[in-house]
Amino acid sequence: MVSAATPAELLRPLLRLCALSFLLQSCWLLESAHGLLEGLYCGTVSCYDVLGVPRDAGKGDIARAYRQLARRYHPDRYRPTEAQEDPEAKFLLVATAYETLKDDEARKDYDYMLDHPDEFYRHYYHYYKRRLAPKVDVRIVIIVTVCAISLFQYYSWWSSYTEAINYLTTVPKYRIQAAEIAKQQGLLNKTKEKGKNRRTKEEIKEEEEEIIKNIIKNNIDIKGGYQKPRLYDILLFQIVLAPYHICRYIIWYCRWIYRFHILREEYGEEEKLYVIRRNMSMSQGQFDSLEDHQKETFLERKLWLKENFEVYKLEQEEELKKKVASDPRWKRYRRWMKTEGPGRLTFIDD
């Protein structure tokens, strides 16, 4: 009959494992008691001993010692006395010692390691933190990146706006309206020059095209992705003005809660349109690009009320299903409306 193991017998393997672990750690501490760890700085050799200088040596003494040893142990000049000597390893060790002691912060960490050999976890952390840290200030990298993105944004928006204006000059509707405005302002009724000042037909035509284009620029109302770019819309200005916009939003939100949740005031037209836009999950730019009669329809149907909006949403989904079933191009149109919005091109006088 096998007897049951006693608690002492069960704990014996665990005690042996703890003793072995303690013995290994003690050996490691004894090896590093002198403050030199393998893999850190100059390894198990003191950087001061490598350069042959005392711990209180100044930067000038360290630099002179490094230059002498660098010339001596340079791989192209040094001739080892023993076959086992490696000139490249010696030169690298001298360079490592100099890089460690010439920098004030690195030397301070190294001296601390020599004086506190038991804090080896701290020594590893500071060594690799300094070694793996980026050489360039991260703040400079972030600023340069944001500026580059902002310049690209502004250039891209200007290209889109110029493309839209060039297209509008070819549309008969807007071209005729621009020509009428130019005639009313007397820009196209100039008398023809004679003599030396006489211009060719091509020059006159180019001038008229430029006049029409400027009138379209000044009178056109472009909404959506092709609208005229503004400096405060780029990323750099958005980041700089972020605290201001956050404060404005907090103040606006507090006023909204006070007026419409505590005092129970009625929504004005602006507030109704805001609630409608929020229900539709549209950005301000997308909502502004809608036609005025669409917004009037939203107000007439009281879409700021949740129940009315749910009914309208179901109607739109059913209508869209019919259109998609009849024409697959509506899928692309819906995807475009979701990402960019329709955009709007009208004269301000319209």
Side-chain angles (χ1 to χ4, degrees):
M1 186 174 181
V2 180
S3 60
T6 62
E9 293 176 345
L10 293 175
L11 292 175
R12 189 174 299 163
L14 182 61
L15 292 175
R16 289 177 179 175
L17 183 62
C18 292
L20 180 61
S21 176
F22 177 77
L23 180 62
L24 292 174
Q25 189 172 6
S26 300
C27 293
W28 187 16
L29 289 174
L30 287 173
E31 289 180 359
S32 61
H34 56 287
L36 301 174
L37 298 172
E38 187 66 39
L40 299 186
Y41 304 104
C42 299
T44 57
V45 183
S46 172
C47 292
Y48 293 101
D49 294 340
V50 171
L51 296 180
V53 295
R55 286 189 59 175
D56 57 351
K59 287 187 175 181
D61 298 332
I62 293 174
R64 282 191 295 272
Y66 167 71
R67 286 194 293 269
Q68 293 175 1
L69 293 174
R71 287 193 296 267
R72 177 181 175 184
Y73 290 111
H74 195 280
D76 296 336
R77 297 181 178 180
Y78 180 63
R79 296 294 179 267
T81 56
E82 299 180 6
Q84 297 179 352
E85 290 185 355
D86 186 359
E88 293 185 1
K90 285 183 174 293
F91 183 79
L92 182 61
L93 184 63
V94 171
T96 303
Y98 177 66
E99 291 293 329
T100 302
L101 300 181
K102 77 172 185 177
D103 184 73
D104 293 335
E105 294 297 327
R107 184 176 181 180
K108 180 179 179 182
D109 289 339
Y110 184 71
D111 290 341
Y112 187 88
M113 185 185 75
L114 296 179
D115 297 334
H116 302 82
D118 55 323
E119 300 180 16
F120 43 86
Y121 293 117
R122 179 188 183 278
H123 305 327
Y124 274 102
Y125 169 74
H126 280 274
Y127 174 76
Y128 285 105
K129 177 185 176 183
R130 184 178 305 280
R131 186 167 184 175
L132 300 177
K135 303 302 181 182
V136 183
D137 193 345
V138 178
R139 293 169 295 182
I140 297 178
V141 175
I142 294 174
I143 293 174
V144 172
T145 303
V146 170
C147 292
I149 294 174
S150 302
L151 289 174
F152 177 78
Q153 278 183 324
Y154 196 68
Y155 173 76
S156 177
W157 289 343
W158 261 113
S159 299
S160 299
Y161 175 70
T162 304
E163 181 182 349
I165 295 298
N166 292 334
Y167 168 74
L168 291 175
T169 55
T170 64
V171 177
K173 174 185 175 182
Y174 301 116
R175 188 177 182 85
I176 292 172
Q177 293 185 54
E180 290 296 329
I181 294 174
K183 289 178 180 178
Q184 293 174 6
Q185 296 178 356
L187 300 176
L188 297 180
N189 297 329
K190 294 182 179 180
T191 58
K192 297 182 179 180
E193 295 86 351
K194 296 181 180 180
K196 296 181 179 180
N197 296 327
R198 185 176 182 180
R199 295 173 300 167
T200 62
K201 293 182 179 180
E202 289 76 12
E203 292 175 345
I204 296 174
K205 187 176 181 180
E206 290 179 1
E207 183 181 358
E208 290 178 354
E209 288 293 330
E210 193 65 28
I211 291 172
I212 291 175
K213 184 182 291 187
N214 290 333
I215 291 176
I216 290 177
K217 282 184 180 180
N218 296 329
N219 292 273
I220 204 71
D221 181 23
I222 302 178
K223 300 293 184 181
Y226 292 91
Q227 65 183 0
K228 189 174 183 179
R230 298 172 296 184
L231 279 176
Y232 53 83
D233 286 336
I234 64 177
L235 179 62
L236 178 61
F237 280 84
Q238 290 295 312
I239 294 176
V240 172
L241 297 176
Y244 168 73
H245 290 302
I246 292 173
C247 292
R248 280 194 60 184
Y249 176 77
I250 293 174
I251 295 172
W252 172 86
Y253 186 75
C254 294
R255 292 182 60 188
W256 181 280
I257 296 295
Y258 178 73
R259 290 178 59 191
F260 303 115
H261 290 267
I262 298 177
L263 299 182
R264 301 289 181 179
E265 293 184 7
E266 293 285 338
Y267 286 151
E269 182 175 332
E270 183 179 352
E271 289 77 16
K272 292 176 182 177
L273 291 175
Y274 168 75
V275 177
I276 293 172
R277 179 175 68 82
R278 189 178 61 183
N279 290 338
M280 292 183 172
S281 301
M282 298 177 67
S283 65
Q284 187 65 50
Q286 291 175 329
F287 194 76
D288 291 340
S289 63
L290 298 176
E291 299 289 344
D292 293 335
H293 66 85
Q294 291 179 285
K295 298 178 182 178
E296 293 175 0
T297 303
F298 296 158
L299 293 173
E300 291 174 0
R301 298 194 58 173
K302 299 181 179 180
L303 296 186
W304 65 88
L305 301 176
K306 199 68 177 179
E307 55 273 15
N308 294 348
F309 175 73
E310 293 297 333
V311 174
Y312 171 80
K313 184 178 180 181
L314 292 175
E315 293 176 358
Q316 293 297 311
E317 290 178 353
E318 291 296 329
E319 183 179 353
L320 183 61
K321 288 180 182 178
K322 295 179 182 178
K323 291 180 179 179
V324 170
S326 60
D327 190 352
R329 290 179 298 177
W330 277 96
K331 292 181 180 179
R332 295 195 299 268
Y333 173 75
R334 186 182 183 185
R335 185 164 56 249
W336 173 66
M337 286 285 291
K338 184 177 180 180
T339 56
E340 298 183 11
R344 185 175 65 187
L345 305 173
T346 58
F347 269 90
I348 296 176
D349 295 336
D350 289 354

